[in-house]
Amino acid sequence: CVGFGNIPSLAARHDCNVVTTTDPRGSVTKQTSAPGSFIGLLCDPKYWVTCTFSDPCDAMPTTFEFPVDPSTLSASDFVVIRSDGSKNTPVCAIAQPANEPNEMQTVVLIGKFGGRTLGTAPRHVKVVGNLTLVNTFTGVPVEANGSVLTISGPSFGETGIWSGDPQLPIVAKSSYGYGMSYTSGLVILRAYAFPFTTTGETLSCNGNGVCNYPNHCRVNFEETTHVIKLLMNGGTTKDGVHSFLPSDTGLFRVGLQGGSYLDEHKVLGLADLGALQNYSEPYAQVYAADGDNYIDVCLKVTEGEYRDLSVVTVAADQFFPPRGTGPNVAHGC
């Protein structure tokens, strides 16, 4: 669905969600995911030969345990293995859009990875090249060659972990069934809590095209003391087109170690979305976001409350990947 933009008939033919958008001037358009022209600019010229409007490519986010060293990233580092055993090498591998220095854990693979018919869907991604990761905690390089990433697993999270809701599935390091299979929704893979800092944030643009930076918490919420950075398994939208807004404080709830929730007034808003801009009506539907798989939850808490943070939860049917299909299940991280 990536790159169809304002071509709803083509999007519908490929089973991508199509929504209605009204701009501040009152113009109404039907559209699906944002145009993917930037992908072509970042990829090898063979992208334009392989990926066409009549026969589009797949875009598959592939997330690693640690950030990727971009100097070692190449499409030839990967092989996609389909469920019938056939293999395919991507035509392109890019770090965008999650390419800020404090992100870099997700590589977007572009190519023909198989349809949704039985026996041809992608099942594994294997690293076969010299891709290098960097251990976030030690700074030591980690060779990824030989790693195998499974697109779907046998179970989803574990229950009984958080006392506030013992039935809520909590995503741990165990495999889970909501990978990138077509009918599945998005998952919070990691939730990092830390005192606010601009370290690793992109603070300016090079002047070319739309600028989505800076987009850290204090752009809209100057009183932010701490941040919970959420890593998802794909770009996160309301419907496949529209971004969440900094004011969407009800999207996530923050659970504490004792089983209660953090006071909702201490959640100031969301960040790592877009640069400073008007997101009130009638501008909400044209809010320009970076489109990546990170969301920051901006908090104003004491040090004691910070140490008591335990889990981030989300209700069912709240967010969708760029294709606009496959709502999330209720879970926590």
Side-chain angles (χ1 to χ4, degrees), residues 247-291:
S247 56
D248 286 328
T249 54
L251 180 58
F252 304 104
R253 298 187 72 186
V254 180
L256 305 176
Q257 292 183 27
S260 61
Y261 282 103
L262 182 70
D263 188 312
E264 61 182 17
H265 296 101
K266 294 182 180 291
V267 179
L268 302 179
L270 305 181
D272 200 350
L273 298 171
L276 184 64
Q277 60 193 284
N278 190 340
Y279 52 86
S280 63
E281 293 295 347
Y283 300 95
Q285 292 194 44
V286 293
Y287 178 83
D290 60 10

Side-chain angles (χ1 to χ4, degrees), residues 235-252:
T236 309
T237 70
K238 293 181 177 181
D239 50 21
V241 173
H242 297 110
S243 167
F244 286 98
L245 304 174
S247 56
D248 286 328
T249 54
L251 180 58
F252 304 104

Side-chain angles (χ1 to χ4, degrees), residues 15-326:
D15 199 24
C16 305
N17 195 36
V18 178
V19 301
T20 300
T21 295
T22 304
D23 69 16
R25 297 185 300 274
S27 299
V28 178
T29 59
K30 298 278 189 180
Q31 62 182 140
T32 181
S33 60
S37 56
F38 79 94
I39 294 177
L41 297 176
L42 296 168
C43 291
D44 185 276
K46 65 182 179 181
Y47 165 85
W48 296 103
V49 177
T50 307
C51 307
T52 65
F53 280 117
S54 60
D55 188 17
C57 282
D58 303 304
M60 182 164 61
T62 306
T63 300
F64 292 88
E65 179 83 4
F66 297 122
V68 169
D69 177 351
S71 68
T72 67
L73 178 60
S74 169
S76 61
D77 290 335
F78 303 90
V79 169
V80 176
I81 304 170
R82 303 184 182 98
S83 50
D84 63 357
S86 61
K87 300 177 181 180
N88 179 273
T89 299
V91 297
C92 184
I94 57 177
Q96 285 83 352
N99 61 335
E100 291 191 75
N102 62 356
E103 299 174 341
M104 295 298 297
Q105 284 181 253
T106 300
V107 174
V108 178
L109 303 181
I110 311 294
K112 300 292 182 63
F113 303 137
R116 279 166 273 151
T117 57
L118 184 64
T120 63
R123 284 292 175 262
H124 306 282
V125 175
K126 185 174 183 179
V127 180
V128 295
N130 297 319
L131 183 70
T132 300
L133 313 180
V134 180
N135 187 310
T136 309
F137 307 103
T138 65
V140 175
V142 179
E143 297 300 324
N145 195 329
S147 300
V148 177
L149 293 84
T150 301
I151 293 173
S152 62
S155 62
F156 178 79
E158 302 171 20
T159 59
I161 293 180
W162 184 53
S163 61
D165 188 350
Q167 301 305 312
L168 185 71
I170 303 296
V171 177
K173 287 190 176 182
S174 59
S175 58
Y176 51 87
Y178 272 62
M180 289 308 293
S181 55
Y182 189 80
T183 56
S184 69
L186 293 173
V187 174
I188 307 172
L189 296 177
R190 291 293 173 85
Y192 303 91
F194 51 88
F196 175 82
T197 177
T198 57
T199 300
E201 294 285 345
T202 299
L203 300 178
S204 62
C205 293
N206 59 15
N208 296 325
V210 177
C211 179
N212 292 311
Y213 310 107
N215 57 23
H216 57 72
C217 277
R218 287 190 181 172
V219 168
N220 287 299
F221 309 106
E222 295 182 356
E223 294 184 299
T224 299
T225 60
H226 296 78
V227 178
I228 302 176
K229 180 172 285 293
L230 305 179
L231 170 62
M232 322 292 287
N233 66 332
T236 309
T237 70
K238 293 181 177 181
D239 50 21
V241 173
H242 297 110
S243 167
F244 286 98
L245 304 174
S247 56
D248 286 328
T249 54
L251 180 58
F252 304 104
R253 298 187 72 186
V254 180
L256 305 176
Q257 292 183 27
S260 61
Y261 282 103
L262 182 70
D263 188 312
E264 61 182 17
H265 296 101
K266 294 182 180 291
V267 179
L268 302 179
L270 305 181
D272 200 350
L273 298 171
L276 184 64
Q277 60 193 284
N278 190 340
Y279 52 86
S280 63
E281 293 295 347
Y283 300 95
Q285 292 194 44
V286 293
Y287 178 83
D290 60 10
D292 68 22
N293 57 328
Y294 286 87
I295 294 180
D296 289 354
V297 181
C298 310
L299 306 178
K300 182 181 180 182
V301 294
T302 65
E303 283 300 312
E305 290 169 328
Y306 167 56
R307 290 191 295 269
D308 200 29
L309 301 179
S310 179
V311 65
V312 173
T313 69
V314 62
D317 303 335
Q318 298 299 302
F319 44 62
F320 298 79
R323 65 176 181 262
T325 59

